[in-house]
Structure formats: C-alpha cells, structure tokens
Amino acid sequence: MRRILGVFMALFMFCVPIGIQAEEEVLSFEYTGQKIVIDDAIGYHLIDDDKFVLKAPKDCGRYRAYYSDGSYIEYEITPKVVHVKVKYNKDWRPGDPEENRYLCEYDGDYEFILSSYVNGDFKTDYDDNYKFEFEPKNKKDVEIVKTTITHPDVEYVYTGSDIVIESKVNDISPIAFKNVGEYIVSFNVDTNYYETIPFKVTILPKTVQLRLNKYQKYVGEKDPVLETENYILTREVGEDVGNYKLTAKSKSRNYKYEIIENDVFTILENKSQQLKPEVTNHQSNDEKKESLQSVNASYKDKIKYADASDKNTNINTETKVDKESAKTNTKVLTGVLNLTTMYLSFITISFVVAMYILIKKRNVKS
C-alpha cells in the first residue's frame, strides 16, 4: 500500500511541473497562410471548436499540440495585422457608391470593401485571419481634401467671337469672354469638393490699319468732317499754312486704328486773292457817281438782250457788256475833261476882254 501511494505521489510531483511548464510555454504565431507545425506533435486540439485533428492548423485560433507521452503545448495563431491609411476621395460626388468615398493605402494585395460602424469607426468584412488597423479610425477624422482648380494667366486678341477657357474638369463649366478688357476670374465650382485659384484674362483690341484720303483746307476755312462710323480723327493744333499730324481714336474699345497712309492734315494758302484797281485820274464824288450810273445803265441796256436760257450766249453777252461799259466809262471821262478845258478857256477870254474895255474907257476920259 505504501508502495502504491509512493508511486502515485511520484507521478503527481512529476506531472505538476510539466503542466506548469506547458502553461508557461503558450506560443503565439502570426497568420501566414501556411500550417503552423509543432515538432514531434502527434495531434492538435482546436480549443475554440473543441475538436481534435491530426493535421496542423493554419487559420487563426487557439490550439494544443499533443505529444506521444500525453503531454501538450498550447499555442495560438493571431490575425495578420494590415495597416491602412484612409484618405478622402476627391473625385467622389453625391450619388456615387458610398464605398468609393474613401481611398485606402496599404502594403499587400487585399480586396475589401470599407464600411463603418454606427459610431463611424471603420471596419471591413474580410477574412478573420487578417486584422485591419485604420488610420484614422473614424471617418469624421478624415480630412476632406478638395480638388484645386488652377489656370495660368492668359492673353488674347479680340476676334468678335466668344473666347472660351476650359477648366479641364468635366463637371465644371468653362468661362467665356468677348470684349476687350482685363479680368480677374475663377471657375464656378462646388466649394464642398473644389477650390479654385483666381487667374487673369486679358483681351487686347484688334489693330486695324487705315489708308486715308488726303485731308486739307485753305487758310481761314473750317476743318472738314474728321469722323466716321468707327473712329474719330484728330489733328495737331494750328491754323497756319503747313502739315499737321493726324491720329485716329476708335469709337469701340475692341479696336484700335493705325494710320499707315496720309497721316497729315494740310492747310494751304488762301485760294481767293484781292485785286487792286489801277487809278489813272482822281475823280470827284459827283463824277464817280455819274461814271457808275453810266456803267450800270449801259450794262442794263446790254444785258436785257441776253438770252437767259442759253448759257454760252449769256457768257458772251456778259463779256461784251463789260467791254462796252469800259468804253462808255472812258468816253464819259474824256468828255468831262474836254468840257472843263473849254470852260476855263471861255472864262480866261471873257476876263481879257473885260480888262481891255476898262483900260480903253480910262484912256478916252483922259
């Protein structure tokens, strides 16, 4: 009896350290997709499923590997940890699938659909052999990165048609310009998903070359009209004889005009010259009146016979009347001169006769 009790106690003392050692030697392996084989093990117990198998397991779980002497060792296979960086998908728009709202970056070849718990934490329904650790963990912590729309400053020349500037993003409308000017603009975007950087658009006027007719006037005259439907001509200030620079100002900001021919305004000497009459005799006022009356009368007498319907005859008649008027004027002047000479002679003779008679009477009395 004592022998049996001694053997029992020896076995008990031998087994207890083995059990403690087994508990202390629980091993952990990360899932690799390969079987985790324990050397010299003859069987495996799936603790979670309470099931014995002969082949080494490969999936995640808790196991016991048994040896031939009845001892065992416990170990576990843990899920493979996959670190995932979550980013906001800038191209996602309302109406697109929710699973496309975020982009995931990680090492390895995994295909999974990202979803979230009620509280917003990310999760995925994937093989339990993998454990995905998301950063950030909650979708509210994901930074919404907007798509930046940029465009360089541009310069165009007015064409008369719309100038269209595209954004290179399909769902953003282009910008259209037409008239000359300098514009600071940006695209019309949904600010929830885009930000647009302002840029400058410059539209320059179209240059039109002018070949002008010659513009000129005489001194003292008014300037001709220097304006058209499209532009106004201006000249340098001055009224003396000479040339003055012309410039063209457009009536529309969309055009500018460049004069390439006849770009001067010319002022000429006066075309009408005053003629001074030649004076051969000094006439009294009465004589001048008589002369003018004689001329006018002669002219009227001659002109009344002219045919007004015949232009050539009229011209000849006027020329003839002028000549005859000149002759009449000469005759009148000559007659006046002759009359004056005779009158003076008569007075002189009368005076001499009167003096002779007075002297003779005095001699008789004596």
Side-chain angles (χ1 to χ4, degrees):
M1 185 71 180
R2 289 181 179 179
R3 287 183 180 179
I4 295 174
L5 182 60
V7 172
F8 179 78
M9 290 297 294
L11 291 173
F12 178 78
M13 295 299 294
F14 178 78
C15 291
V16 169
I18 292 176
I20 295 173
Q21 184 178 6
E23 291 292 337
E24 290 179 352
E25 292 181 359
V26 173
L27 302 177
S28 177
F29 303 93
E30 185 179 64
Y31 175 79
T32 62
Q34 302 295 325
K35 294 180 180 179
I36 304 299
V37 178
I38 303 299
D39 293 339
D40 299 328
I42 60 173
Y44 301 89
H45 179 217
L46 282 59
I47 298 176
D48 296 327
D49 297 333
D50 194 16
K51 183 178 179 181
F52 287 91
V53 294
L54 295 176
K55 294 182 179 181
K58 64 178 182 179
D59 292 327
C60 294
R62 293 181 303 152
Y63 304 95
R64 286 179 183 169
Y66 281 90
Y67 298 101
S68 59
D69 59 0
S71 63
Y72 64 89
I73 183 173
E74 288 190 358
Y75 67 97
E76 63 180 351
I77 301 175
T78 59
K80 179 178 177 60
V81 177
V82 179
H83 297 283
V84 180
K85 183 177 181 180
V86 181
K87 296 196 308 182
Y88 186 80
N89 184 0
K90 296 188 296 182
D91 296 327
W92 186 88
R93 297 293 177 269
D96 292 345
E98 182 66 24
E99 57 265 23
N100 296 336
R101 190 169 186 173
Y102 301 96
L103 299 176
C104 297
E105 293 182 355
Y106 48 84
D107 292 330
D109 185 16
Y110 308 101
E111 294 183 3
F112 59 88
I113 296 176
L114 186 67
S115 58
S116 61
Y117 295 105
V118 176
N119 62 359
D121 287 342
F122 290 114
K123 66 181 182 66
T124 181
D125 295 328
Y126 196 73
D127 191 334
D128 292 337
N129 291 318
Y130 296 92
K131 178 182 180 182
F132 293 91
E133 294 184 351
F134 300 100
E135 181 61 36
K137 296 180 179 180
N138 194 294
K139 62 183 180 181
K140 70 179 181 180
D141 298 322
V142 179
E143 179 185 5
I144 298 178
V145 180
K146 300 178 182 180
T147 301
T148 301
I149 306 299
T150 61
H151 198 285
D153 294 344
V154 288
E155 184 175 282
Y156 301 92
V157 175
Y158 176 77
T159 63
S161 302
D162 285 344
I163 296 171
V164 179
I165 301 175
E166 301 283 352
S167 66
K168 298 182 179 179
V169 177
N170 292 334
D171 57 346
I172 295 180
S173 300
I175 304 175
F177 299 91
K178 186 173 184 179
N179 293 321
V180 166
E182 188 174 282
Y183 308 90
I184 303 298
V185 297
S186 56
F187 292 101
N188 184 20
V189 300
D190 186 340
T191 56
N192 291 321
Y193 309 103
Y194 296 104
E195 62 176 350
T196 177
I197 306 300
F199 61 98
K200 182 169 70 173
V201 177
T202 303
I203 302 179
L204 302 174
K206 181 179 180 180
T207 300
V208 179
Q209 294 182 333
L210 294 178
R211 299 180 184 272
L212 300 177
N213 296 322
K214 290 183 178 180
Y215 284 93
Q216 62 185 26
K217 73 169 185 176
Y218 291 96
V219 172
E221 291 182 343
K222 290 183 178 180
D223 285 2
V225 176
L226 300 177
E227 182 176 350
T228 70
E229 182 181 353
N230 299 318
Y231 58 85
I232 300 172
L233 295 176
T234 57
R235 69 175 181 88
E236 294 176 325
V237 178
E239 293 297 332
D240 295 332
V241 174
N243 293 324
Y244 298 86
K245 186 72 173 178
L246 282 172
T247 55
K249 181 180 180 181
S250 176
K251 291 184 176 180
S252 169
R253 64 176 179 169
N254 294 324
Y255 296 93
K256 69 176 181 179
Y257 292 88
E258 177 185 354
I259 303 174
I260 61 172
E261 189 172 322
N262 296 327
D263 62 345
V264 295
F265 182 90
T266 304
I267 299 180
L268 305 172
E269 290 186 7
N270 199 325
K271 61 181 178 180
S272 59
Q273 297 181 358
Q274 300 296 331
L275 298 177
K276 296 183 179 180
E278 294 182 6
V279 179
T280 58
N281 241 335
H282 295 289
Q283 301 177 353
S284 65
N285 291 334
D286 292 336
E287 289 173 344
K288 290 179 180 178
K289 288 180 181 179
E290 289 178 2
S291 297
L292 291 174
Q293 289 174 356
S294 298
V295 172
N296 291 337
S298 176
Y299 179 80
K300 289 179 180 179
D301 291 339
K302 297 295 182 181
I303 200 65
K304 69 182 179 180
Y305 296 106
D307 185 3
S309 64
D310 188 351
K311 184 176 181 181
N312 295 328
T313 304
N314 189 30
I315 294 173
N316 294 334
T317 302
E318 289 177 359
T319 304
K320 186 176 181 182
V321 168
D322 291 339
K323 292 180 180 179
E324 290 184 2
S325 296
K327 291 180 180 180
T328 303
N329 188 30
T330 303
K331 290 180 180 180
V332 170
L333 292 174
T334 304
V336 171
L337 291 172
N338 292 337
L339 180 61
T340 302
T341 303
M342 292 175 63
Y343 179 76
L344 291 174
S345 300
F346 178 77
I347 294 300
T348 302
I349 294 171
S350 297
F351 179 77
V352 171
V353 172
M355 291 298 293
Y356 176 80
I357 294 173
L358 288 175
I359 294 172
K360 189 175 182 180
K361 284 184 178 182
R362 284 183 180 182
N363 291 336
V364 173
K365 286 182 180 182
S366 301

